[in-house]
């Protein structure tokens, strides 16, 4: 079990940071997470003591950078159970999904081929595919969600046709929070020669994910949603698929030799995707974050967060003035204070030091399914507590008399 009080000591922002004059209660972990001191120290250590470039120098300092930079790749491989050559550094989930869509999709799809998504996808897992389709005439189709908003194997099977070539879906939606049955989807897809790309932005930080066991073809995630800094992300790809994927950025570090146009010899994966100077401090910080998360244990994190969620949902459901849209899922809680515009609700929480997201959460085609255009979203991480949830529930109660609570 987690020692949450001890864990909270590791996060400077949980020890003194105030918002609107109140101690911060941070429930916007779906957007980004707070950083533990070990990550801050790792980034500062690089910037202070050995901030050379990576894979470019032949001196000791450069060797130190390379060692730390590549250490993170091995830690990622350990975290998701793959070979470290299958780990590509990117600038975040969005960048990784663009790489899959443009580097793999654009070169493997033909006119009329179908890509399956869901209406719950984040914009970063829809817009790149829309653009691919606009360019080459392939088609985006949607897997129906069940009545609760979950992806089911049955609905995936229904959506597959002879033309389906790629399925690209979130393992956990950033709004509805359901875990998709990825292992079963991969099995079904592979029987039909379909490639599966998994958006792990909201799953990798919160639960143990084993890419070999799931047999996913591509998986993406972001460092900043798992205690790392912004501007660094990961693309995992099966090695043969990475070799078939075309880089989307070209430049220094990715080629072994070139003479002229048409005579470029690229390095093998992952180097061929990593042109230009990377976010070195971000990569080193991500390594520290992964070590930190693995020491706590991904299963411990997941179990604790499920308990937090269950507790919060039970309390919310007791309130007449609150509507919860996804009581039975596993991730973020989507809700509204009845009769209160979600952004006004977020302002109310803000006045109590509680960070809650409001709006569409970048899932802009989900509104038709939900039947509302905006929600509030509470998303927890393992450093949140039951006491914080109690305070949050007290503020939810005030939403009943919104104007008095806000302006009173
Ligand atoms: N997919 C999902 C499910 C997300 O929640 C997010 C971030 N909100 C992204 C993709 C994009 O991540 P990033 O902004 O780090 O590229």
């Amino acid at each position: 079990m987690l020692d949450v009080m001890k864990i909270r000591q590791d996060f400077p922002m949980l020890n003194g940071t105030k918002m609107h004059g109140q101690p911060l209660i941070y429930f916007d972990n779906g957007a980004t997470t707070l950083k533990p001191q070990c990550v801050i120290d790792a980034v500062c250590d690089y910037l202070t003591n050995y901030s050379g470039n990576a894979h470019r120098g032949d001196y000791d300092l450069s060797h130190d950078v390379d060692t730390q930079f590549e250490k993170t790749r091995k830690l990622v491989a350990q975290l998701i159970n793959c070979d470290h050559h299958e780990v590509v550094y990117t600038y975040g989930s969005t960048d990784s999904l663009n790489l899959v869509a443009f580097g793999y999709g654009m070169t493997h799809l033909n006119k009329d081929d179908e890509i399956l998504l869901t209406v719950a996808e984040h914009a970063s897992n829809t817009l790149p595919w829309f653009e691919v389709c606009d360019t080459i005439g392939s088609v985006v189709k949607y897997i129906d969600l069940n009545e609760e908003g979950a992806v089911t194997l049955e609905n995936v099977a229904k959506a597959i046709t002879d033309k389906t070539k790629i399925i690209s879906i979130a393992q956990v939606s950033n709004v509805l929070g359901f875990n998709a049955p990825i292992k079963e989807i991969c099995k079904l897809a592979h029987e039909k020669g379909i490639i599966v790309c998994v958006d792990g932005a909201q799953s990798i930080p919160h639960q143990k994910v084993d890419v070999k066991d799931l047999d996913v073809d591509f998986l993406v995630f972001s460092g900043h949603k798992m205690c790392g800094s912004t501007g660094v992300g990961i693309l995992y790809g099966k090695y043969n698929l990475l070799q078939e994927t075309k880089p989307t950025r070209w430049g220094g570090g990715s080629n072994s030799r070139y003479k002229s146009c048409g005579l470029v010899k690229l390095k093998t994966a992952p180097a061929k995707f990593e042109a230009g100077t990377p976010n070195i401090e971000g990569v080193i910080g991500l390594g520290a974050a992964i070590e930190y998360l693995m020491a706590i244990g991904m299963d411990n994190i997941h179990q604790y967060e499920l308990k937090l969620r269950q507790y919060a949902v039970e309390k919310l459901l007791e309130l007449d003035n609150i509507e919860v849209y996804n009581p039975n899922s596993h991730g973020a809680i989507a809700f509204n204070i009845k009769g209160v515009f979600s952004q006004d609700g977020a302002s109310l929480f803000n006045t109590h030091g509680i960070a809650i997201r409001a709006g569409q959460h970048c899932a802009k085609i989900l509104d038709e399914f939900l039947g509302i255009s905006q929600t509030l979203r509470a998303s927890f991480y393992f450093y949140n507590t039951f006491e914080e949830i109690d305070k949050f529930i007290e503020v939810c109660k005030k939403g009943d008399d919104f104007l008095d609570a806000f302006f009173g």
Side-chain angles (χ1 to χ4, degrees):
M1 208 36 205
L2 303 188
D3 184 348
V4 180
M5 286 309 146
K6 186 160 169 291
I7 283 171
R8 286 174 70 86
Q9 295 303 314
D10 298 333
F11 289 81
M13 282 185 65
L14 296 175
N15 292 283
T17 299
K18 294 203 164 165
M19 195 168 75
H20 214 85
Q22 313 275 333
L24 174 68
I25 296 182
Y26 188 74
F27 284 173
D28 195 15
N29 294 286
T32 196
T33 57
L34 307 181
K35 320 302 171 204
Q37 192 62 49
C38 60
V39 169
I40 299 166
D41 288 346
V43 171
C44 285
D45 185 34
Y46 165 73
L47 294 175
T48 311
N49 296 315
Y50 63 105
S51 67
N53 211 327
H55 295 314
R56 278 154 174 80
D58 296 302
Y59 40 86
D60 284 358
L61 183 70
S62 177
H63 179 258
D64 291 346
V65 178
D66 292 351
T67 307
Q68 293 307 316
F69 188 74
E70 288 308 317
K71 182 179 158 192
T72 298
R73 209 185 298 274
K74 291 181 183 142
L75 284 163
V76 171
Q78 198 183 330
L79 181 75
I80 61 172
N81 188 28
C82 66
D83 186 276
H84 67 274
H85 295 104
E86 297 173 314
V87 175
V88 181
Y89 293 140
T90 66
Y91 294 100
S93 300
T94 304
D95 193 32
S96 304
L97 286 161
N98 273 270
L99 180 48
V100 178
F102 292 99
Y104 184 85
M106 194 76 106
T107 53
H108 287 73
L109 292 167
N110 294 308
K111 188 171 173 311
D112 297 332
D113 282 347
E114 292 172 3
I115 303 148
L116 287 182
L117 313 175
T118 75
V119 290
E121 297 313 313
H122 189 278
S124 298
N125 193 28
T126 53
L127 299 189
W129 297 112
F130 289 175
E131 186 59 23
V132 167
C133 289
D134 275 352
T135 311
I136 61 176
S138 48
V139 183
V140 163
K141 294 247 165 118
Y142 295 100
I143 301 161
D144 284 340
L145 301 174
N146 74 4
E147 62 288 351
E148 284 194 300
V151 179
T152 63
L153 184 63
E154 203 187 2
N155 283 349
V156 174
K158 270 194 217 151
I160 290 176
T161 72
D162 289 349
K163 293 181 184 159
T164 310
K165 294 287 158 22
I166 296 178
I167 298 175
S168 189
I169 57 169
Q171 185 164 15
V172 174
S173 138
N174 64 316
V175 183
L176 295 173
F178 286 99
N179 248 309
I182 297 295
K183 186 170 174 166
E184 293 75 12
I185 292 171
C186 287
K187 186 165 179 295
L188 177 69
H190 293 156
E191 283 163 11
K192 296 171 187 289
I194 300 165
I195 294 293
V196 182
C197 171
V198 172
D199 176 354
Q202 300 291 346
S203 59
I204 298 290
H206 303 280
Q207 56 183 270
K208 189 156 182 35
V209 173
D210 180 330
V211 292
K212 290 270 179 301
D213 179 51
L214 299 179
D215 201 21
V216 300
D217 298 302
F218 294 106
L219 172 99
V220 312
F221 55 100
S222 300
H224 69 96
K225 294 186 197 282
M226 51 191 291
C227 297
S229 36
T230 52
V232 61
I234 299 294
L235 167 64
Y236 156 79
K238 285 181 180 161
Y239 198 73
N240 63 319
L241 294 177
L242 288 181
Q243 287 299 76
E244 285 177 27
T245 301
K246 200 170 173 184
T248 47
R249 289 184 298 105
W250 300 78
S254 62
N255 58 84
S256 49
R257 79 187 122 81
Y258 66 93
K259 281 274 182 251
S260 65
C261 202
L263 288 176
V264 179
K265 174 107 179 70
L266 284 175
K267 287 182 182 166
T268 52
K272 69 172 181 174
F273 300 110
E274 296 176 4
T277 299
N279 177 357
I280 301 171
E281 64 266 38
V283 167
I284 291 171
L286 176 60
I290 293 173
E291 280 181 314
Y292 181 76
L293 294 175
M294 288 198 303
I296 297 172
M298 294 312 298
D299 285 336
N300 291 334
I301 288 173
H302 189 49
Q303 290 312 319
Y304 177 70
E305 288 178 19
L306 286 178
K307 285 193 185 121
L308 279 180
R309 185 185 200 281
Q310 192 186 356
Y311 182 75
V313 168
E314 274 167 20
K315 297 263 167 194
L316 285 170
L317 291 178
E318 284 168 13
L319 304 181
D320 290 339
N321 66 328
I322 299 290
E323 179 141 25
V324 181
Y325 300 101
N326 56 349
N328 301 318
S329 80
H330 320 103
I333 303 173
F335 70 104
N336 268 323
I337 305 172
K338 286 180 192 164
V340 177
F341 181 56
S342 67
Q343 247 115 20
D344 290 337
S347 301
L348 169 68
F349 287 112
N350 176 61
T351 60
H352 293 269
I354 304 174
I356 296 267
R357 177 96 179 258
Q360 294 179 313
H361 321 291
C362 296
K364 300 207 173 186
I365 46 181
L366 186 60
D367 52 351
E368 208 174 302
F369 175 84
L370 283 174
I372 33 129
S373 61
Q374 314 236 356
T375 69
L376 288 160
R377 182 184 73 176
S379 50
F380 307 131
Y381 212 14
F382 57 92
Y383 41 65
N384 290 126
T385 65
F386 294 93
E387 291 73 26
E388 287 180 322
I389 291 173
D390 288 339
K391 288 190 189 146
F392 157 70
I393 293 294
E394 285 311 307
V395 180
C396 287
K397 287 181 187 163
K398 293 181 205 283
D400 232 1
D401 199 359
F402 176 71
L403 291 177
D404 283 355
F406 191 37
F407 296 110

